[in-house]
Amino acid sequence: IYLTATASKMSILGLKKKQPKTFKVKVITMDAEMEFSCEVKWKGKDLFDLVCRTVGLRETWFFGLRYTVKDTYAWLKPEKRVLDQEVPKDSPITFHFLAKFFPEKVEEELVQEITQHLFFLQVKKQILDEEIFCSPEASVLLASYAVQAKYGDYDPNFHKPGFLAQDELLPKRVLMQYQMTADMWEEKITAWYAEHRGIARDEAEMEYLKIAQDLEMYGVSYFAITQNKRDTDLLLGVDAQGLHIYSPNSKLNPNKSFPWSDIRNISYSEKEFTIKPLDKKKDVFKFYSSQLRVNKLILQLCIGNHDLFMRRRKVDSIEVQQMKAQAKEEKARKKVRDSRPSGREGPDC
């Protein structure tokens, strides 16, 4: 009787034990969409780490999971449970896996090929969407590197006129600025493209980023602010270099800049921010932002960018040193492979 009762009790307990509840998540990267089933207890870090493992990314400190909340956006906090944050109530919940912080020098800081590729795709989209201003001349040069990355070496026998007809390569503003046909633009881009012979995809993407990083709006997050509670509309820009104050109709040239190295402290109380310079003789700068969500976002970006600024000025961690050594070895192996005759003619497409 004892054995039967025990077995029966165990059976009942087994029935009562529920499977852990899950929720569905869709993550959109710059070149893929993924769906995951997550446990309700998962924190932001659990989901973020899973995405990084899935795409094979180790330089995780540049990236984040972004979601839409009311009239703005937010980044998933790693230390809080996913469902305890203001994430959309949809199923699946949609997140965009994007670069949250930008390097000061792409060639020195972006080590992995996958990191470079994700940055290339994101910056290219920002330029085409006119989130980053780019002159017509620079736009054509950037387009030629994008074409090299996609099609490999130019071959006039293979790349006939019209081969770029389906590619979005230039911002609409640039296309509308001149009375030029699509064929004329293609001719200009192809003239540069032909000069890039022998450049591998990853090298072409890096050349693209090296030009893009010198554009004034590259890597800057902009926020509407006021200098006092009533008027004087301004824009705040946060980037890898520091904080910048702009006139509302000009995102290119800041009126005032505060490099991270010159800032002693940034304090925040409700709607008021205070920037205290390292030089105590310089004036303290105060500004106001009315939305609590936006203020939290500004603070997050300030902390993250400042942390990376300090980190760049220290010796690389063992992990980064190993990554750089592996990347160097892989590039050397790749060059040896590419230098061997393939027995095939024509472009590497």
Side-chain angles (χ1 to χ4, degrees):
I1 295 168
Y2 174 75
L3 286 171
T4 307
T6 306
S8 175
K9 189 175 178 183
M10 285 172 68
S11 172
I12 291 165
L13 285 171
L15 285 170
K16 281 186 176 177
K17 189 179 179 184
K18 292 180 181 176
Q19 290 295 316
K21 286 185 179 178
T22 59
F23 61 96
K24 294 264 189 281
V25 159
K26 179 162 79 172
V27 176
I28 301 169
T29 71
M30 289 307 303
D31 62 354
E33 285 189 14
M34 301 171 280
E35 289 212 4
F36 300 104
S37 187
C38 310
E39 293 181 31
V40 290
K41 66 180 181 182
W42 275 18
K43 293 181 177 178
K45 188 180 186 307
D46 297 314
L47 176 57
F48 179 74
D49 288 350
L50 176 60
V51 176
C52 291
R53 285 198 303 273
T54 304
V55 299
L57 182 79
R58 290 174 66 191
E59 292 169 277
T60 56
W61 44 88
F62 292 115
F63 293 84
L65 288 168
R66 200 172 89 172
Y67 60 93
T68 305
V69 49
K70 297 208 172 167
D71 55 348
T72 184
Y73 67 88
W75 295 93
L76 195 67
K77 294 182 180 69
E79 70 284 354
K80 281 184 73 175
R81 286 201 330 168
V82 174
L83 296 180
D84 288 345
Q85 302 183 48
E86 285 187 292
V87 296
K89 302 300 177 197
D90 312 328
S91 182
I93 303 168
T94 301
F95 295 98
H96 289 264
F97 184 76
L98 294 166
K100 182 178 180 182
F101 305 107
F102 286 72
E104 285 180 59
K105 294 179 181 175
V106 289
E107 199 170 21
E108 290 178 19
E109 292 180 58
L110 302 183
V111 180
Q112 276 189 292
E113 203 171 306
I114 180 65
T115 316
Q116 295 171 16
H117 185 57
L118 289 172
F119 265 97
F120 163 73
L121 293 175
Q122 184 169 332
V123 171
K124 180 160 77 82
K125 186 176 188 305
Q126 288 178 312
I127 288 170
L128 293 176
D129 291 349
E130 299 181 30
E131 292 172 22
I132 296 175
F133 176 83
C134 188
S135 70
E137 296 79 9
S139 296
V140 169
L141 181 56
L142 288 170
S144 71
Y145 279 113
V147 172
Q148 178 73 21
K150 181 175 180 180
Y151 292 100
D153 287 343
Y154 173 64
D155 181 347
N157 298 316
F158 188 84
H159 300 114
K160 305 283 186 187
F163 80 104
L164 295 178
Q166 301 305 312
D167 289 293
E168 187 187 1
L169 293 166
L170 297 168
K172 285 188 175 62
R173 176 187 47 76
V174 170
L175 294 171
M176 292 170 70
Q177 202 171 333
Y178 297 90
Q179 291 182 327
M180 289 173 61
T181 64
D183 291 342
M184 291 162 78
W185 281 116
E186 183 179 290
E187 199 177 315
K188 284 181 81 71
I189 292 168
T190 305
W192 278 109
Y193 168 39
E195 298 291 315
H196 304 326
R197 173 167 290 279
I199 298 178
R201 188 194 85 166
D202 60 317
E203 292 170 333
E205 291 181 351
M206 180 53 77
E207 290 302 319
Y208 186 105
L209 288 171
K210 279 160 65 178
I211 296 165
Q213 73 180 351
D214 290 333
L215 301 173
E216 289 89 342
M217 293 171 69
Y218 163 88
V220 184
S221 298
Y222 294 93
F223 302 94
I225 60 167
T226 56
Q227 198 166 352
N228 52 56
K229 289 180 180 177
R230 289 179 299 280
D231 51 15
T232 323
D233 288 342
L234 296 168
L235 283 175
L236 170 74
V238 187
D239 70 4
Q241 308 283 345
L243 300 176
H244 315 281
I245 311 299
Y246 303 83
S247 299
N249 53 0
S250 172
K251 291 183 175 180
L252 296 181
N253 302 306
N255 303 331
K256 190 186 288 276
S257 285
F258 300 93
W260 294 121
S261 55
D262 292 353
I263 297 174
R264 177 160 51 100
N265 177 258
I266 299 169
S267 57
Y268 158 64
S269 172
E270 289 187 8
K271 298 175 182 178
E272 182 186 84
F273 284 84
T274 304
I275 303 171
K276 292 181 180 174
L278 209 56
D279 184 350
K280 294 183 181 178
K281 291 176 185 173
K282 288 187 178 177
D283 293 338
V284 167
F285 185 84
K286 292 189 178 186
F287 65 87
Y288 298 85
S289 173
S290 58
Q291 293 185 55
L292 185 62
R293 282 190 192 91
V294 174
N295 296 348
K296 288 179 179 177
L297 183 53
I298 291 171
L299 199 63
Q300 262 187 39
L301 291 174
C302 285
I303 292 167
N305 273 299
H306 182 262
D307 286 350
L308 281 175
F309 178 85
M310 299 303 290
R311 176 175 170 163
R312 287 180 193 110
R313 281 141 186 85
K314 293 176 184 173
V315 177
D316 285 337
S317 66
I318 299 296
E319 182 192 7
V320 172
Q321 287 178 41
Q322 287 174 342
M323 268 195 276
K324 285 183 175 178
Q326 286 167 3
K328 200 173 178 181
E329 285 172 18
E330 180 54 36
K331 276 186 180 173
R333 280 198 297 269
K334 205 171 179 182
K335 279 199 171 174
V336 170
R337 280 200 309 269
D338 293 346
S339 64
R340 288 174 187 157
S342 62
R344 176 177 70 85
E345 290 185 2
D348 182 16
C349 294

